[in-house]
Amino acid sequence: MVKKSSWSGGWATLRDLEIIKTVIEVRTATLAAELLGISQPAISRTLSLIESRSGCVLFKREKGKLIPNSDALSLYEEIVKISDSFERLTNFEWNKEEKKSLNIISTPTIAYCFLIPLTAEYIKENPDVNIKIDIVTASKLLSNLNEGRADIALGDSSLNTASFNVSAFPLRRTRIVCAMNRLNELASKDVITPEDLNQKRMVVFTKRNISRTKLDRVLDKSGVSYNVIAEVSDAYSALDFVRANTGVCLMPYFPVSTLNDPQIIFKDFMPEVLNDSSFFTISNLNSPHIQRYLEYIHQKQPAPDRNSEPL
């Protein structure tokens, strides 16, 4: 046997419910018929059939009036809910979503130099989205995401994802360059090598920074000895020392290059060291508004240049 659809109501159709609602509101079959565009006898027949099918008397007939009883008024409350639902469907706006929230976590440099400015533009174009951005260290990025503290994370692509249920969306590849004040003694050179840094004052990343591991391998292999004047957690902080010409720093060209600081120049560094950045999300949980944000940031990032390119 085919199960009757819950849309049918069993003892009443949607049209029947519309008739009941109208009669309760206007209290006469004649006026209800006028409002619904049907005959008065049709209203009377429908009410009789509904009362017969439901086993409930819904109206008291009194001097041409149809006075609803408590059962009718209880039914009316439910019909109004159905009517409101159909009203929302009638005025439904396709592809319109309710206000959404996005929680984003990022490592400092790419947040300050790249993500936050672009996100501000995204909010202007999508005022229905509320966005929260937290700055965290690379070591906490994936654990915070995996624990549900964020919808999206942005950081170094080489983060170990093996222990986490996350998916990566590559954003950009960049070369490591040598950042320096334009008055630095190395500013005349086109390409900086490890040997050029021998005994030079340098700003380096702390060992928690992923780029530090990559650079240590290159510099240790060269056997040079350099003078560390400061250790910082990220490239954005390193730029303060570089700007003051207290030392040079090896760092990813992107995103610090977006700052366009007139006091700072970037020199190629050889041998080539590459650094990739990616978005991370919980696997298989991407919603349309998360995907829309990822696509926007990816499309709005800088065009390819000699030191970096979109992935």
Side-chain angles (χ1 to χ4, degrees):
M1 178 182 293
V2 178
K3 184 178 179 181
K4 186 174 290 188
S5 168
S6 60
W7 286 86
S8 69
W11 52 269
T13 65
L14 291 174
R15 182 59 165 171
D16 294 339
L17 298 181
E18 183 181 26
I19 289 172
I20 294 173
K21 177 178 180 292
T22 305
V23 169
I24 290 174
E25 290 173 346
V26 301
R27 305 297 172 97
T28 72
T30 302
L31 184 53
E34 290 179 9
L35 292 173
L36 295 174
I38 56 179
S39 67
Q40 185 272 330
I43 294 284
S44 299
R45 284 196 301 271
T46 298
L47 293 180
S48 296
L49 285 173
I50 290 171
E51 289 180 327
S52 175
R53 292 171 187 161
S54 66
C56 295
V57 174
L58 299 175
F59 296 93
K60 179 181 178 182
R61 279 72 175 172
E62 189 176 284
K63 296 181 180 180
K65 295 283 188 179
L66 293 170
I67 310 301
N69 58 23
S70 59
D71 286 335
L73 293 176
S74 295
L75 178 60
Y76 178 79
E77 291 181 352
E78 296 302 317
I79 296 174
V80 167
K81 294 176 185 178
I82 297 171
S83 176
D84 290 344
S85 296
F86 272 88
E87 181 69 21
R88 289 193 296 272
L89 284 173
T90 300
N91 298 314
F92 183 74
E93 296 183 45
W94 294 97
N95 299 320
K96 180 177 175 62
E97 297 181 14
E98 300 205 3
K99 191 171 183 69
K100 300 293 184 181
S101 62
L102 276 178
N103 292 329
I104 303 166
I105 52 177
S106 174
T107 48
T109 301
I110 200 165
Y112 296 133
C113 299
F114 169 73
L115 189 65
I116 292 176
L118 270 188
T119 300
E121 294 302 315
Y122 181 80
I123 292 172
K124 289 181 182 178
E125 297 181 25
N126 299 271
D128 60 322
V129 179
N130 178 273
I131 294 181
K132 174 185 175 184
I133 298 179
D134 281 333
I135 309 301
V136 301
T137 61
S139 62
K140 295 182 179 179
L141 198 73
L142 295 185
S143 60
N144 283 6
L145 178 66
N146 202 55
E147 290 167 7
R149 299 179 187 177
D151 304 303
I152 303 170
L154 176 59
D156 196 291
S157 298
S158 61
L159 289 169
N160 185 2
T161 62
S163 302
F164 303 102
N165 179 36
V166 300
S167 297
F169 299 85
L171 177 68
R172 197 172 185 91
R173 171 165 293 160
T174 186
R175 296 169 62 189
I176 298 291
V177 295
C178 186
M180 64 184 71
N181 186 290
R182 62 174 55 258
L183 300 178
N184 190 274
E185 59 187 307
L186 295 175
S188 61
K189 300 183 69 68
D190 292 328
V191 178
I192 304 299
T193 66
E195 289 71 29
D196 293 322
L197 300 175
N198 191 43
Q199 300 301 317
K200 294 296 189 294
R201 293 175 302 171
M202 289 193 63
V203 181
V204 300
F205 299 132
T206 59
K207 291 187 180 297
R208 291 182 301 176
N209 190 298
I210 294 175
S211 295
R212 171 70 181 268
T213 304
K214 300 176 184 178
L215 292 169
D216 278 351
R217 285 197 293 264
V218 173
L219 296 175
D220 291 346
K221 187 177 180 179
S222 69
V224 301
S225 177
Y226 47 92
N227 179 19
V228 176
I229 57 100
E231 289 191 45
V232 295
S233 61
D234 58 85
Y236 192 78
S237 301
L239 290 181
D240 286 333
F241 292 93
V242 171
R243 189 178 296 108
N245 202 20
T246 52
V248 302
C249 182
L250 297 176
M251 62 176 65
Y253 178 74
F254 175 83
V256 293
S257 58
T258 62
L259 295 176
N260 296 317
D261 191 315
Q263 293 180 279
I264 297 172
I265 57 176
F266 300 98
K267 296 292 183 176
D268 290 352
F269 177 74
M270 293 297 292
E272 184 180 68
V273 181
L274 298 176
N275 197 76
D276 292 356
S277 54
S278 290
F279 282 112
F280 299 91
T281 66
I282 298 297
S283 297
N284 304 320
L285 288 182
N286 277 7
S287 65
H289 67 289
I290 289 177
Q291 190 63 36
R292 188 175 298 118
Y293 176 82
L294 295 179
E295 291 171 356
Y296 180 91
I297 300 299
H298 196 282
Q299 292 168 3
K300 295 291 185 176
Q301 66 177 305
D305 54 54
R306 63 190 303 271
N307 285 314
S308 67
E309 61 181 353
L311 292 173

